[in-house]
Amino acid sequence: MRHRLDIRGQIQGVGFRPYVYRLACEYDLAGFVANNSNGVVIEIEGPAGSVSAFEAALMTHLPPLARITELVRTARPVVASTAAQHVHASNANHAGAAFFIEPSEFSAERRPEVTPDAALCADCLRELLTPGDRRYRYPFINCTNCGPRYSIIIDTPYDRPRTTMADFTMCDACAREYHDPRDRRFHAQPNACAKCGPQLRLCRPDRSAIEGDPIELAAGMLGAGAIVAIKGIGGFHLACDATNEDAVVRLRRLKLRDGKPLAVMVPDIEAARRLCVLDAAAEAELLSPAAPIVLVDRRSSTPDGGGLAAAVAPGCRTYGVMLPYAPVHHLLFAAGCRPLVMTSANLADQPLTYEDDAAFGEMSGVADAFLVHDRPIHRPIDDSVVFAFRDRLVMIRRARGYAPRPVRLECAATASVLAVGAELKATACLLRGRDAILSEHLGDLKRPETYRNYVRAVEALLKLFDFRPECVAHDLHPHMLSTQFARSLGLPAFAVQHHHAHIVSVLAEHNVQQPVIGICCDGVGYGTDKAAWGCEILRADVTGFERVGHLEYFPLIGGDAAARQTWRPALALWRQAHCDDWRRRLPRAFEAVDAGAIETTARQAEAERGCVATSSLGRVFDAAAFLLGLCRENRHEAEAAMAVEAAAGGISAEAYPYCTTFAGRIVRMSLAPTIECMVHDVAAGADVGAIAARFHETVARMLAATAMMACETNKLSTVAISGGCFANRRLLGRLVELLERRRLKVLFNRAVPIGDGGVSLGQAVAAEAMFRCE
């Protein structure tokens, strides 16, 4: 019997071919395995029972980084003498049957999947820390099961000359490993050792070298309170001792990062367990090859933060925790480092720093030393951020460890689509066939430097996958920078409304073709009526949507200032609820605001000048934070909302009153009674945490009730949830619980970010449907 297996998935550069070779030898089979433009092709020949056993084992014992998404089996004629066709004696197995790893064959028409960067594996870690091993303490140790991939690839196919390892010629020992299919470093493109590979050095801010062991010296400086810029896999981190309050405060001041929580790297999973409450899903993700930052609750038994500085995550009940994923991280902890703040080495809102010249130029006034190496980073990529929910992860930022792994769709696209994403938390998506390839997180595009970096990244992604789009998808907002970029490409362009794109992203990753009721809540998205939408109930499928409910409009006064200064949405909501009587009844919280600014803003609202109507739930959370005295200004995105979530904690609460009215077929939701009750409770001296908990319960019940009403009216039983407001785990959890009580099927983003980072997927799928219908 002879079978041909055509396989697609994450199967190049992950040790898949040597795995197939060893398996074929184990079952005494003949044939070959080779990479090609689609993935991998295997031809296997032998007794029927052995071929069947091989195929069953193939799927159940994959290498750690391998992932099969498609396998097509074809019967082939038996070859009379496979061994006679080959002379590669070193590849013949012990029983006389011949199985070979053949040279790769690629065409320009298709490109294989590109593997994400992967955390150091257990085998390499053991070698790294074993005295006498030839790679003992070598900071660039890797194998086919771990190490850099996407960050070093220049072009496909993924061979060493097409990576940033091209200039490092392997020594004889490394070359023997590289060419031996029985070795786990067979065709490991970054394979190297201290004799032939990249080198680490510690430098002063003026680039002069600091003599001595760079790891020991850097660890000593970190322990003494210094800030060290560390070049890792996808870019530079700024690191300091996370237990040293002065060091963390100094890093914040120099990096211009006032209040945003900082990620913490701990030495191992035991340290993470001592610091935080970890469920099985959170532990699994921390220990996974992706090794993301995982948002987890602090242990209540460690009120002092478990020894971490208060400045690490002020006002938060959670930590963003990650484990060491690069060899240099493990070496620093082996040298005695305590938990480390590891934050991207860029000033606030700037692109990730990844080149040595830029790092020394931009960070010389921030870092006391630079731990650098001479392996270039070709594609900068930030750390991913996730949280565990219901035994699986929810993505906040999709980058290192996940990008550019495609989302596999059930229905193949009939056109190749480039989607350019949103303006905040931008990503791009390439849709071709059944694969939707999302870029890494590319940041917020309003700054010129970030926008230029975004354009370069999108162009690089198109080149890497030899992608020639037939059309382009963009946001409905005509002035968004990503929209302008899309229109500059000279392709047929399709505008996709922001919240529709959010809901379609859920449908795409769950392979749902039927209409659903969508709940989408966030800061802002341009609506079809030119208002700033942000709390929407939609009847939607991939081809279009109907707005069936939304939060009652209120005036967003002051443009971008209204997203920063939390008193502005609070004032707008208060004025709307109390009309001419608002000044007399103005809550005490406004005593901290300049009276002139309040009057100017009120006059603008009355004249409808400098304001836009909005249904933003994100701004309502801002208003709640202001009225509760939790946050007067958003120093970073969602700071106020995070403060309200943190205040609510795990407190059980009843809902406040809210109201709904009908405008034709559309339900209008109003939180005016809620705001009134909250202000009353604050004035009565009620516990702020209890008020915040009641606010969460009210929002969840209001959304659930409106969605259930829409399901009943439209005879639908599936609800899709998306939008940045659902990064709030309490709100997401309670909403899902309420909907499921009514036996509704509830879907939400998992493979792509639940916030704006997932919008490009929805744009691509919706635009393909529009293109198909033209």
Side-chain angles (χ1 to χ4, degrees):
M1 175 186 285
R2 188 179 183 93
H3 281 173
R4 175 187 172 102
L5 308 178
D6 287 286
I7 302 174
R8 287 183 59 79
Q10 188 172 291
I11 47 179
Q12 293 192 12
V14 296
F16 186 72
R17 288 178 302 158
Y19 160 70
V20 171
Y21 170 83
R22 291 190 294 270
L23 201 60
C25 290
E26 180 182 335
Y27 287 98
D28 195 19
L29 298 170
F32 68 87
V33 60
N35 285 337
N36 63 17
S37 297
N38 289 317
V40 166
V41 59
I42 302 170
E43 291 207 10
I44 201 79
E45 180 177 318
S50 297
V51 171
S52 297
F54 167 87
E55 291 176 357
L58 179 72
M59 301 297 290
T60 55
H61 303 292
L62 291 171
L65 299 184
R67 184 177 56 90
I68 291 176
T69 58
E70 183 179 324
L71 188 153
V72 177
R73 180 187 297 104
T74 310
R76 304 284 285 181
V78 173
V79 176
S81 177
T82 304
Q85 299 178 23
H86 298 276
V87 295
H88 308 300
S90 64
N91 272 354
N93 70 37
H94 66 280
F99 192 87
F100 302 92
I101 297 175
E102 293 200 333
S104 302
E105 293 185 4
F106 291 90
S107 72
E109 297 177 3
R110 297 293 299 269
R111 294 288 179 105
E113 280 191 27
V114 174
T115 303
D117 302 301
L120 193 69
C121 70
D123 289 329
C124 285
L125 178 59
R126 184 171 56 253
E127 293 172 353
L128 179 72
L129 301 179
T130 300
D133 188 280
R134 78 183 195 91
R135 290 188 175 86
Y136 175 55
R137 299 187 77 243
Y138 181 57
F140 305 95
I141 187 171
N142 68 87
C143 69
T144 54
N145 297 328
C146 66
R149 296 291 193 279
Y150 181 57
S151 60
I152 64 169
I153 191 171
I154 297 170
D155 200 0
T156 56
Y158 176 64
D159 293 321
R160 194 178 181 102
R162 296 180 179 87
T163 73
T164 60
M165 288 296 293
D167 292 337
F168 296 95
T169 302
M170 283 182 283
C171 66
D172 290 344
C174 288
R176 281 194 297 272
E177 296 168 332
Y178 182 87
H179 290 104
D180 183 355
R182 295 160 298 187
D183 196 288
R184 79 173 197 278
R185 293 190 169 91
F186 176 75
H187 281 210
Q189 306 305 338
N191 189 34
C193 67
K195 183 177 179 181
C196 64
Q199 301 296 315
L200 197 66
R201 66 187 188 280
L202 188 66
C203 297
R204 300 179 182 87
D206 64 4
R207 304 188 77 147
S208 62
I210 302 174
E211 297 302 322
D213 184 319
I215 292 291
E216 295 292 338
L217 289 168
M221 293 183 71
L222 288 165
I227 298 170
V228 178
I230 302 173
K231 186 178 181 181
I233 288 179
F236 279 81
H237 282 110
L238 288 172
C240 73
D241 184 345
T243 69
N244 185 324
E245 182 75 16
D246 291 340
V248 178
V249 169
R250 177 170 170 255
L251 187 151
R252 282 193 177 280
R253 176 173 55 81
L254 295 174
K255 183 178 157 68
L256 308 179
R257 184 165 174 166
D258 288 340
K260 194 173 183 180
L262 297 165
V264 175
M265 181 178 284
V266 296
D268 49 42
I269 194 67
E270 288 76 19
R273 289 176 186 142
R274 290 192 297 271
L275 190 67
C276 303
V277 179
L278 301 181
D279 61 14
E283 284 206 14
E285 213 55 36
L286 283 167
L287 293 166
S288 73
I293 298 168
V294 181
L295 304 180
V296 284
D297 290 333
R298 302 182 184 189
R299 283 205 174 277
S300 57
S301 58
T302 55
D304 63 345
L308 298 189
V312 166
C316 294
R317 291 177 179 266
T318 59
Y319 283 135
V321 175
M322 59 178 161
L323 298 183
Y325 59 83
V328 67
H329 303 150
H330 288 282
L331 291 172
L332 286 169
F333 285 116
C337 280
R338 293 182 285 272
L340 295 172
V341 164
M342 294 288 269
T343 183
S344 55
N346 55 294
L347 300 180
D349 300 325
Q350 296 294 317
L352 178 65
T353 302
Y354 69 101
E355 294 175 316
D356 291 6
D357 288 346
F360 281 104
E362 297 167 7
M363 296 292 124
S364 59
V366 179
D368 301 303
F370 291 74
L371 191 59
V372 297
H373 58 75
D374 54 352
R375 182 180 69 203
I377 296 168
H378 187 69
R379 298 175 192 276
I381 187 162
D382 217 330
D383 294 316
S384 295
V385 182
V386 306
F387 66 83
F389 179 74
R390 293 196 162 195
D391 300 323
R392 291 182 60 191
L393 68 89
V394 173
M395 196 81 64
I396 300 297
R397 183 169 72 201
R398 189 176 188 266
R400 178 189 51 75
Y402 303 99
R405 181 184 301 149
V407 176
R408 190 77 167 155
L409 306 181
E410 189 172 83
C411 298
T414 58
S416 296
V417 183
L418 164 64
V420 298
E423 192 164 72
L424 301 179
K425 295 180 173 61
T427 61
C429 179
L430 315 183
L431 175 61
R432 177 166 56 193
R434 291 180 60 196
D435 287 342
I437 301 168
L438 265 73
S439 74
E440 63 276 20
H441 167 81
L442 297 173
D444 299 344
L445 304 187
K446 290 187 177 181
R447 282 185 173 270
E449 301 89 343
T450 310
Y451 176 71
R452 287 192 292 269
N453 180 70
Y454 163 85
V455 172
R456 286 193 298 267
V458 173
E459 291 172 346
L461 196 70
L462 292 170
K463 180 181 178 183
L464 178 64
F465 289 97
D466 193 26
F467 190 87
R468 298 176 178 86
E470 298 169 68
C471 63
V472 60
H474 59 81
D475 193 87
L476 186 63
H477 198 304
H479 303 305
M480 193 173 281
L481 288 169
S482 55
T483 298
Q484 294 174 30
F485 170 66
R487 290 177 175 173
S488 74
L489 299 176
L491 294 167
F494 295 91
V496 182
Q497 198 279 327
H498 183 82
H499 301 94
H500 181 221
H502 264 297
I503 299 305
V504 174
S505 74
V506 181
L507 303 186
E509 67 167 280
H510 290 277
N511 291 309
V512 173
Q513 303 300 316
Q514 297 77 25
V516 301
I517 295 302
I519 304 175
C520 189
C521 301
D522 58 7
V524 65
Y526 191 74
T528 54
D529 59 357
K530 300 184 181 181
W533 292 7
C535 182
E536 309 304 316
I537 312 294
L538 310 177
R539 183 191 185 279
D541 59 21
V542 297
T543 63
F545 73 96
E546 178 189 359
R547 195 184 195 195
V548 296
H550 65 85
L551 191 67
E552 185 179 28
Y553 285 152
F554 60 94
L556 198 63
I557 308 164
D560 288 344
R564 292 194 310 272
Q565 298 171 332
T566 59
W567 66 266
R568 289 178 178 272
L571 181 66
L573 288 164
W574 189 256
R575 284 187 66 260
Q576 184 181 63
H578 294 282
C579 301
D580 296 335
D581 199 31
W582 67 269
R583 285 182 177 85
R584 185 178 64 83
R585 303 184 61 186
L586 198 64
R588 192 180 306 160
F590 287 96
E591 293 174 2
V593 182
D594 178 74
I598 291 174
E599 285 301 321
T600 299
T601 302
R603 285 196 297 272
Q604 283 182 283
E606 289 163 2
E608 297 183 350
R609 187 179 69 253
C611 62
V612 61
T614 187
S615 57
S616 169
L617 184 61
R619 299 291 77 80
V620 176
F621 265 88
D622 290 350
F626 174 77
L627 294 171
L628 295 179
L630 295 171
C631 181
R632 291 182 56 190
E633 182 167 351
N634 278 310
R635 294 169 296 175
H636 59 85
E637 187 189 14
E639 180 177 7
M642 290 165 63
V644 178
E645 181 184 9
I651 300 171
S652 297
E654 295 296 321
Y656 284 120
Y658 64 89
C659 68
T660 56
T661 57
F662 280 89
R665 287 169 47 88
I666 298 176
V667 178
R668 288 181 180 169
M669 301 171 280
S670 173
L671 288 167
T674 310
I675 298 295
E676 179 74 28
C677 290
M678 290 172 64
V679 169
H680 176 272
D681 284 354
V682 169
D687 177 70
V688 167
I691 300 171
R694 293 192 71 180
F695 173 73
H696 276 83
E697 182 70 11
T698 307
V699 173
R701 286 187 177 274
M702 178 187 72
L703 294 173
T706 308
M708 289 186 287
M709 191 186 314
C711 284
E712 186 174 340
T713 301
N714 291 275
K715 296 181 171 54
L716 297 173
S717 59
T718 301
V719 177
I721 298 173
S722 189
C725 286
F726 298 111
N728 181 323
R729 289 181 294 166
R730 179 177 179 129
L731 180 61
L732 176 64
R734 186 61 174 139
L735 178 58
V736 171
E737 180 184 11
L738 290 168
L739 293 168
E740 288 183 342
R741 280 185 187 174
R742 294 290 295 269
R743 298 182 180 176
L744 296 170
K745 183 178 181 180
V746 184
L747 307 174
F748 46 89
N749 296 109
R750 290 192 184 274
V752 302
I754 201 164
D756 282 3
V759 161
S760 62
L761 172 62
Q763 288 177 342
V765 173
E768 191 275 335
M770 296 181 203
F771 187 84
R772 188 175 356 110
C773 293
E774 280 203 335

